[in-house]
């Protein structure tokens, strides 16, 4: 019997399952592993299981872990599918373990878990982007790659809604519930990351070899813009629920800011995928970065609850569009093996998001010219986001790459 009559040992999953697997992978890794701590931190402080200082340490540990994950994600260049699968298991385990942190448990253990979750979430973002975009391009449907990034917003909205609806139960129970959701997500995502993933990725890596240093230097501007994006979004993304809590202490009110943030992220990516599939990715990125600048500027004008809600919509509605456009642009620039560039951009993003809270800490509790540290950080974010948005828009040209030609 000839080989062509034998059943395939690794049948290709249908395209919808590739997209669905990418959505669920990013929802679990980013919405739960990366961002669930944001709505749960004020609840843990309310329960007395976490101090403000320990919360800051946990957040910083997660940022550092995300940076380490971004710098090491290139380990999976030849097999990004394996990176996704490993990272999702890690996210599930670290989330479940967080349910037992508190009381007599050393706070340092919580910081270690958050650092590990940061590593796993960065691996998942880089590897899921690399594998899904390459697989969809190979199937001649690259425009569907944008849809996988709705997963981040959906995961944030899910975690935020769970914290909102269950805000009166102990935060420990919420960690356990989110951990079980992450386990279910890892199982489902594994179904989409099957088939020829390893073979095609390895072949691409062999064809591309090492990216020429001159080529990477030519892409430095994109890396810097992506790092600026990380700096710009992190202050509202980290402190919006806490800022809202200062105005309205009821978790059923201030807790709405985070699901609103996630829902805006998911809907904006879906709208971009539906109505702007043929726009140059630089223009999409520039539009998102400019809109985000408006969102970071709003709390400077007023500390009213409506301004914080509008900031959540504007920042939440653009941060995943910027992520999507930036990573798709990296894929266009280096279609054969984008993982090293994806890793560098994610590393710059991670460094930028470490810089935001560091700036707030360095400025301290005082005020200058009537603004506190958060206001100055938001002002810096606004200026940098606006400048990079202008640069991206002016530099946008039709991209003559295999990916865009396929569109």
């Amino acid at each position: 019997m000839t080989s062509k009559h034998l059943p395939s040992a690794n049948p290709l999953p249908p395209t919808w399952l590739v997209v669905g697997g990418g959505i669920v992978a990013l929802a679990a890794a980013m919405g739960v592993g990366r961002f669930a701590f944001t709505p749960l931190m004020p609840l843990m402080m309310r329960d007395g299981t976490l101090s403000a200082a320990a919360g800051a340490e946990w957040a910083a540990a997660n940022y550092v872990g995300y940076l380490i994950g971004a710098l090491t994600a290139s380990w999976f260049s030849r097999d990004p599918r394996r990176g996704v699968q490993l990272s999702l298991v890690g996210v599930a385990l670290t989330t479940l373990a967080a349910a037992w942190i508190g009381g007599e448990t050393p706070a340092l253990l919580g910081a270690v878990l958050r650092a590990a979750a940061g590593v796993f979430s960065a691996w998942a973002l880089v590897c899921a982007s690399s594998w899904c975009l390459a697989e969809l391009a190979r199937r001649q449907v690259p425009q569907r790659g944008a849809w996988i990034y709705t997963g981040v917003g959906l995961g944030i909205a899910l975690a935020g809604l769970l914290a909102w609806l269950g805000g009166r139960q102990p935060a420990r129970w919420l960690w356990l519930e989110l951990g079980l959701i992450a386990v279910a997500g890892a199982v489902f995502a594994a179904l989409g990351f099957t088939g020829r993933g390893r073979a095609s990725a390895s072949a691409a890596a062999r064809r591309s070899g090492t990216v020429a240093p001159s080529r990477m230097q030519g892409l430095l501007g994109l890396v810097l813009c992506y790092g600026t994006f990380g700096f710009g979004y992190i202050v509202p993304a980290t402190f919006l629920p806490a800022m809202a809590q200062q105005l309205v202490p009821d978790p059923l009110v201030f807790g709405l800011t985070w699901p609103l943030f996630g829902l805006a992220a998911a809907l904006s990516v879906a709208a971009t995928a539906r109505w702007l599939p043929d726009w140059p990715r630089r223009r999409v990125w520039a539009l998102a970065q400019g809109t985000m600048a408006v969102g970071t500027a709003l709390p400077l004008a007023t500390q009213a609850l409506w301004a914080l809600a509008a900031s959540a919509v504007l920042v939440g509605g653009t941060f995943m569009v910027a992520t999507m456009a930036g990573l798709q642009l990296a894929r266009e620039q280096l279609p054969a093996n984008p993982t090293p560039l994806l890793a560098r951009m994610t590393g710059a993003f991670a460094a930028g998001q470490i810089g935001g809270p560091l700036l707030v800490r360095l400025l301290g509790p005082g005020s200058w010219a009537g603004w506190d540290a958060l206001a100055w950080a938001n002002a810096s974010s606004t200026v940098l986001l606006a400048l990079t948005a202008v640069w991206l828009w002016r530099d946008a040209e039709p991209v003559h790459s295999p990916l865009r030609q396929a569109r």
Side-chain angles (χ1 to χ4, degrees), residues 27 59 75 119 123 133 149 152 158 164 239 241 276 287 304 336-337 339 396:
W75 291 350
V119 172
W123 284 356
L133 295 182
Y149 297 102
V152 178
L158 176 62
W164 178 57
F239 297 107
L276 300 176
L287 184 62
N337 182 22
T339 304

Side-chain angles (χ1 to χ4, degrees), residues 43-261:
L43 301 181
M44 294 180 73
M45 293 172 64
R46 176 206 63 190
D47 295 344
T49 58
L50 188 74
S51 66
E57 292 170 1
W58 283 29
N62 188 256
Y63 302 149
V64 172
Y66 194 79
L67 175 59
I68 294 171
L71 296 175
T72 56
S74 58
W75 291 350
F76 302 102
S77 291
R78 292 184 176 274
D79 192 2
R81 183 183 55 170
R82 180 168 173 259
V84 175
Q85 294 167 341
L86 177 62
S87 63
L88 292 181
V89 171
V91 164
L93 292 177
T94 53
T95 305
L96 288 170
W100 279 267
I101 299 299
E104 300 299 322
T105 307
L108 178 61
L109 181 57
V112 171
L113 288 175
R114 293 307 300 156
V119 172
F120 293 133
S121 58
W123 284 356
L125 178 63
V126 172
C127 295
S129 297
S130 180
W131 191 88
C132 288
L133 295 182
E135 183 66 16
L136 293 171
R138 191 178 63 79
R139 296 173 185 227
Q140 304 300 313
V141 285
Q143 69 279 5
R144 297 188 188 179
W147 289 95
I148 72 171
Y149 297 102
T150 61
V152 178
L154 292 173
I156 290 174
L158 176 62
L161 280 172
L162 189 63
W164 178 57
L165 295 173
R168 291 188 172 134
Q169 63 180 315
R172 177 172 296 179
W173 293 5
L174 294 173
W175 278 116
L176 182 60
E177 292 159 11
L178 286 170
L180 295 175
I181 290 172
V183 170
V187 172
F188 178 84
L191 300 176
F193 288 82
T194 58
R196 288 173 47 182
R198 177 166 186 165
S200 59
S202 298
R206 286 193 298 269
R207 286 194 304 269
S208 62
T210 303
V211 180
S214 59
R215 178 67 172 141
M216 290 301 295
Q217 289 173 5
L219 301 171
L220 179 61
L222 299 182
V223 175
L224 292 176
C225 284
Y226 208 70
T228 299
F229 158 47
F231 177 85
Y233 103 99
I234 193 60
V235 172
T238 300
F239 297 107
L240 266 178
M243 292 164 68
Q245 184 190 29
Q246 293 176 357
L247 297 176
V248 184
D250 187 347
L252 291 180
V253 179
F254 78 78
L256 267 177
T257 56
W258 198 240
L260 188 65
F261 186 98

Side-chain angles (χ1 to χ4, degrees), residues 15-27 84 88 128 132 148 185 188-193:
T15 299
W16 70 265
L17 192 54
V18 174
V19 176
I23 290 172
V24 173
L26 293 185
V84 175
L88 292 181
C132 288
I148 72 171
F188 178 84
L191 300 176
F193 288 82

